[in-house]
């Protein structure tokens, strides 16, 4: 294996994850000079090079050490590495979920087909782009499924009469429904993840990798985090903490000239709805502000 001095990260070239992956890296302060028809793109901000590839190839590149890091749907990792272990390579580790690209791998059957648990699929022909995940399910559940492997447009296979069911990725389920299919079983939920090789890198590169991973964690955490400020009677503090789940040890500041009322400042890691604000108001809170957070390092 060649010795590199700079980290290399693989992300999807075109598709559902491509823009979000670049935007996430940019928020972590890592931008790239994208040059057409180049395989590698250097970052002027951080010692890392970018490889733009097909999403399905990212797990294998990270496993083989071609890339040290990758951003890819966990579904692709399941299919390429975890559902049917590969003998060569260093192995890959999921460092963290990234909060986008959420969907699930499901079994769907024609609406008119009776379904009474997985056993009713015994011996069925199932169209999928996820043969390893499907075969693992078939073996675990003793279903003896016949896997019809298709590269895309899996949802039309039952209509064409070449499959009895499909095993496909869905987010809203609209594509399945418009093809007369209904979801009956979920194999797993998935989202985009940060993947690293299990190979130990030279110390300097390990340091850079840890720095980048920490920044990406900061960006992802910040995406869900809000800074909440309000004034309230001191006696309402406990109730308020129950109303805002995920609110970490708030700062409580006495308000000058008012013995009972305090200012409460806190970071909340869960979504705050209008209903939550109305409940806070009912607890006696006023001047409630909810602000976005740009970066977090815990
Ligand atoms: P490539 O050309 O890179 O192979 P692709 O066509 O295989 O692209 P996309 O359709 O862009 O891949 O999907 C990439 C990833 O987006 C999926 O592997 C999955 O993790 C995620 N994703 C999110 N929502 C959906 C969805 N509704 N259907 C399919 N994939 C989804
Ligand atoms: Zn793909």
């Amino acid at each position: 294996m060649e010795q590199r001095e700079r980290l290399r990260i693989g992300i999807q070239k075109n598709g559902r994850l491509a823009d979000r992956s670049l935007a996430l890296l940019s928020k972590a302060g890592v931008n790239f000079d994208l040059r057409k028809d180049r395989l590698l793109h250097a970052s002027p901000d951080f010692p890392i090079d970018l490889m733009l590839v097909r999403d399905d190839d990212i797990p294998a590149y990270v496993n083989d050490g071609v890339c040290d890091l990758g951003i890819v749907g966990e579904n692709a990792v399941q299919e390429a590495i975890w559902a049917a272990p590969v003998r060569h390579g260093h192995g890959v580790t999921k460092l963290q979920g990234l909060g986008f690209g959420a969907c699930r791998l499901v079994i769907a059957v024609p609406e008119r087909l009776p379904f009474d648990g997985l056993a009713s699929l015994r011996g069925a022909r199932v169209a999928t782009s996820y043969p390893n995940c499907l075969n693992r399910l078939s073996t675990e559940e003793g279903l003896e499924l016949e896997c019809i492997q298709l590269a895309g447009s899996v949802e039309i296979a039952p209509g064409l009469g070449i499959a009895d069911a499909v095993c496909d990725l869905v987010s809203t389920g609209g594509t399945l429904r418009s093809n007369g299919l209904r979801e009956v079983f979920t194999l797993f939920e998935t989202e985009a993840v940060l993947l690293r090789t299990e190979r130990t890198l030279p110390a300097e590169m390990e340091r850079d990798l840890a720095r980048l991973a920490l920044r990406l964690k900061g960006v992802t955490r910040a995406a869900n985090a809000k800074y909440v400020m309000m004034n309230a009677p001191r006696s309402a503090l406990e109730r308020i903490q129950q109303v805002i789940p995920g609110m970490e040890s708030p700062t409580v500041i006495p308000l000058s000239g008012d013995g009972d009322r305090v200012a409460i400042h806190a970071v909340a890691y869960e979504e705050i709805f209008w209903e939550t604000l109305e409940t806070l108001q009912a607890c006696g809170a006023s001047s409630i502000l909810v602000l976005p957070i740009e970066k977090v390092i815990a």
Side-chain angles (χ1 to χ4, degrees):
M1 164 104 9
E2 45 148 357
Q3 266 308 321
R4 282 186 279 109
E5 285 175 1
R6 285 166 68 85
L7 287 171
R8 194 180 285 172
I9 185 166
I11 70 169
Q12 190 187 29
K13 182 171 184 168
N14 294 303
R16 292 174 204 259
L17 304 179
D19 292 349
R20 297 290 301 264
S21 302
L22 273 181
L24 179 71
L25 288 164
S26 176
K27 279 192 187 158
V30 181
N31 297 285
F32 295 94
D33 293 326
L34 295 184
R35 303 253 173 86
K36 262 208 158 129
D37 304 323
R38 284 260 185 112
L39 180 63
L40 284 178
H41 308 271
S43 171
D45 313 317
F46 199 89
I48 192 166
D49 296 326
L50 178 74
M51 245 175 91
L52 295 172
V53 294
R54 291 277 312 272
D55 66 340
D56 317 63
D57 296 333
I58 292 170
Y61 283 146
V62 177
N63 184 47
D64 293 339
V66 173
C67 295
D68 313 302
L69 290 163
I71 295 179
V72 68
E74 191 164 356
N75 52 293
V77 191
Q78 287 280 2
E79 180 60 21
I81 314 262
W82 293 331
V86 280
R87 262 184 268 280
H88 58 87
H90 306 282
V92 303
T93 302
K94 166 182 159 181
L95 291 180
Q96 62 177 96
L98 297 173
F100 65 93
C103 56
R104 52 197 184 278
L105 187 68
V106 305
I107 305 271
V109 300
E111 264 147 17
R112 55 191 155 66
L113 208 81
F115 179 87
D116 184 21
L118 278 179
S120 45
L121 288 175
R122 192 176 308 281
R125 297 167 304 160
V126 185
T128 190
S129 308
Y130 288 81
N132 291 331
C133 293
L134 181 68
N135 287 329
R136 181 174 60 180
L137 175 76
S138 179
T139 307
E140 280 172 7
E141 302 287 329
L143 298 176
E144 293 168 35
L145 300 174
E146 185 188 337
C147 173
I148 313 284
Q149 193 175 337
L150 299 176
S153 301
V154 162
E155 66 283 353
I156 64 173
L160 295 176
I162 56 171
D164 306 306
V166 303
C167 172
D168 202 6
L169 285 179
V170 301
S171 42
T172 59
T175 310
L176 290 184
R177 275 192 301 278
S178 61
N179 282 279
L181 300 170
R182 69 185 167 109
E183 262 175 69
V184 293
F185 183 79
T186 301
L187 283 82
F188 53 74
E189 313 239 322
T190 161
E191 65 169 342
V193 297
L194 179 66
L195 213 60
R196 72 155 288 170
T197 175
E198 285 182 359
R199 176 167 78 112
T200 306
L201 304 169
E204 190 102 338
M205 285 168 74
E206 281 293 344
R207 266 199 300 277
D208 293 337
L209 191 154
R211 272 174 71 213
L212 180 61
L214 189 71
R215 288 193 195 181
L216 290 174
K217 190 163 267 169
V219 176
T220 319
R221 285 195 86 188
N224 307 321
K226 295 279 180 283
Y227 196 76
V228 190
M229 304 192 283
M230 73 197 85
N231 296 339
R234 188 182 285 276
S235 56
L237 188 57
E238 208 170 307
R239 278 254 9 242
I240 287 169
Q241 278 180 286
Q242 287 162 2
V243 173
I244 305 184
M247 174 157 135
E248 294 189 351
S249 45
T251 306
V252 180
I253 312 155
L255 287 175
S256 60
D258 192 335
D260 180 45
R261 288 180 77 77
V262 290
I264 302 170
H265 292 197
V267 176
Y269 283 102
E270 280 172 43
E271 190 152 4
I272 295 175
F273 300 99
W274 282 107
E275 287 76 5
T276 317
L277 299 188
E278 287 157 9
T279 313
L280 288 173
Q281 222 176 9
C283 295
S286 60
S287 307
I288 310 169
L289 299 183
V290 179
L291 310 176
I293 291 178
E294 196 176 329
K295 298 182 178 75
V296 176
I297 289 198

